Amino acid sequence: MASIETRAAWGARSPKNVSHIASTRGVKAHYTGGHVDPATLTDHAKCRAMIRAFQTMHMDGNGWADLAYSMWVCEHTAGIGRGPGVLTAANGPGLNSGHYSILFLVGNSGVTKATDAMKRHFHQARDYLRSKGGAGAEIKGHRDGYSTDCPGPDIYAWVRAGAPLPGKPDPSPAPPPAPATSRKDDAFMDYGSFELTTATAITGGAWISVPWDKENADPYAAHSGAGTSILTTPEGPADYTLEAGVELSGVPAGTMVSLRTAEYVYVAATKDSPAVDKLVEAGWEATSALPESGRAHLGAVGHVQKGRKLRVEVMVHPTGEGYAIKAAAVKYLAQR
C-alpha cells in the first residue's frame, strides 16, 4: 500500500492559523457532494488538483484557515489535509472537536462509489489519525449529527455496516512526486460572490432560481441587477467550485428542502414565442430537512459547457404559498 501523501506532495498552501486538539472520539467520512472526474481513478495529478481547488475554496472563498478536512483519500493514496492533532472544520458547528474528518474523492456524479482501494486508504488514514492524533475507535458519517446527505448513500451504507476492510491488494508503488506547478496553472483562480438581501416570495413544489441583488465580485460579468446567473460561458467551458446558502422564512422546521446547480441556455425569440432561458442540465442536488435556523446549504464542484449560464436553485417540497427566501449568498472560484 502506498505511504501517506504529505501536504508538500499535493502542493498545499500554508495554513493561516492552526487550532490544536489532543484527541477525538473517532473519524467521520465525507464525500465531495459534486462531480468527480472519472479520470481521477487513473490520473493522480487530477486528484491533487482537486484537493488544491478545495483548499483554495475553503481559504479564499470561505475565509477558513486551511482545507477543511483532516485527511483525504482517492484511488491512489491517503493524503494529509489539516492532519492529526489539528481541529477540523468539516463536520459542522459544535461538531469538529468530536471527530476528525476524512474526505473521499467521490461525488454524486462521475465517480459515485468508493472503490476497494479508497476504502483501504480510508482505513490507512484512520490508522494514521489514531496513532498520531489520538483518534478514538468511532467511525461515523458526516450526516451523523449534522443535516446533510454527506457522505452519500454508498459510503454511508458502508459506514453503517461497520466500514469493513476490503481484501488486501498486491503491493503497489507510491504515486509519483507532484510536478512543479505555479498557482497560475491551478484551476479555480477567479472568484465571484453574490448575495440576495431583499426577501423574495417563492412557491413550493417548483425549482426557483435564486435572484441575486448584490454583487461582491463578478469576474466574468455574468450578473446584472436582480439576475439569476452567477457564471456564464460565452467563449468556452469553465470548471468551478462553489458554496451557497439560503435562509428561508415561512417554511416550518423539518420541511424537506432541496438546493441544486442548474445550467441554462439562451433561446432567441421567434415570431411565435419570446426569448427565454431554457434549462438544459440540472447539476447535483442536495436535499435535507430544514433546521430551526431556516438555513439550507449547497457545496458543489462541476463543469459548465460553452454557451451556458450557471444558476443556484431552491425548492421547498410541499406545494403551496407563503414561503420566501429571506436571504442568500453564493461564493465560487472558477477557471475558463
Side-chain angles (χ1 to χ4, degrees):
M1 183 179 291
S3 60
I4 297 288
E5 182 158 300
T6 65
R7 287 173 61 91
W10 60 265
R13 294 161 56 181
S14 297
K16 297 176 183 178
N17 54 70
V18 177
S19 297
H20 294 285
I21 55 173
S23 63
T24 69
R25 296 194 300 275
V27 301
K28 284 190 174 181
H30 292 247
Y31 80 152
T32 72
H35 179 77
V36 176
D37 187 349
T40 57
L41 297 176
T42 56
D43 185 354
H44 188 52
K46 293 186 180 296
C47 302
R48 288 168 168 157
M50 195 168 189
I51 295 301
R52 289 196 299 270
F54 276 122
Q55 186 188 38
T56 298
M57 178 65 196
H58 293 169
M59 295 180 71
D60 297 345
N62 295 354
W64 296 344
D66 196 357
L67 175 72
Y69 306 103
S70 305
M71 304 284 290
W72 56 272
V73 298
C74 65
E75 179 70 10
H76 315 278
T77 193
I80 299 173
R82 294 197 174 195
V86 180
L87 185 71
T88 180
N91 294 330
L95 302 172
N96 290 316
S97 62
H99 298 81
Y100 288 111
S101 58
I102 302 176
L103 172 70
F104 282 86
L105 287 195
V106 171
N108 59 11
S109 66
V111 181
T112 59
K113 293 185 178 181
T115 65
D116 283 353
M118 292 181 193
K119 293 173 182 177
R120 288 191 292 268
H121 294 145
F122 175 90
H123 279 281
Q124 185 184 13
R126 175 176 176 255
D127 290 345
Y128 183 77
L129 291 170
R130 296 199 73 185
S131 65
K132 302 291 186 180
E138 286 186 354
I139 302 177
K140 300 284 188 179
H142 184 195
R143 69 177 68 178
D144 292 319
Y146 190 77
S147 179
T148 178
D149 290 336
C150 184
D154 173 71
I155 295 172
Y156 192 61
W158 177 70
V159 168
R160 291 294 299 270
L165 181 65
K168 188 175 181 180
D170 294 332
S172 60
T181 61
S182 69
R183 282 288 149 188
K184 185 176 180 181
D185 294 328
D186 284 347
F188 314 109
M189 295 305 293
D190 285 311
Y191 169 86
S193 174
F194 307 102
E195 296 180 45
L196 175 64
T197 61
T198 304
T200 302
I202 60 173
T203 57
W207 286 107
I208 306 296
S209 296
V210 178
W212 311 102
D213 61 12
K214 181 180 178 182
E215 298 177 8
N216 298 316
D218 187 12
Y220 293 128
H223 176 268
S224 178
T228 52
S229 299
I230 61 170
L231 177 62
T232 58
T233 56
E235 299 176 357
D239 296 307
Y240 70 88
T241 180
L242 68 77
E243 297 278 348
V246 298
E247 182 176 353
L248 302 173
S249 62
V251 182
T255 300
M256 299 307 294
V257 173
S258 295
L259 289 172
R260 74 178 185 186
T261 54
E263 296 179 34
Y264 284 75
V265 295
Y266 174 76
V267 179
T270 67
K271 64 178 181 179
D272 299 318
S273 59
V276 296
D277 284 338
K278 179 182 177 181
L279 176 67
V280 289
E281 185 174 349
W284 74 279
E285 177 184 329
T287 301
S288 60
L290 191 70
E292 291 288 345
S293 66
R295 296 171 181 169
H297 176 262
L298 173 72
V301 175
H303 180 82
V304 185
Q305 298 292 337
K306 179 181 177 180
R308 295 187 177 183
K309 303 177 180 182
L310 182 68
R311 299 180 180 180
V312 174
E313 299 189 320
V314 60
M315 179 168 67
V316 179
H317 283 266
T319 58
E321 300 180 349
Y323 307 139
I325 306 175
K326 184 178 179 181
V330 62
K331 294 181 180 180
Y332 73 82
L333 290 159
Q335 180 187 47
R336 296 200 185 204

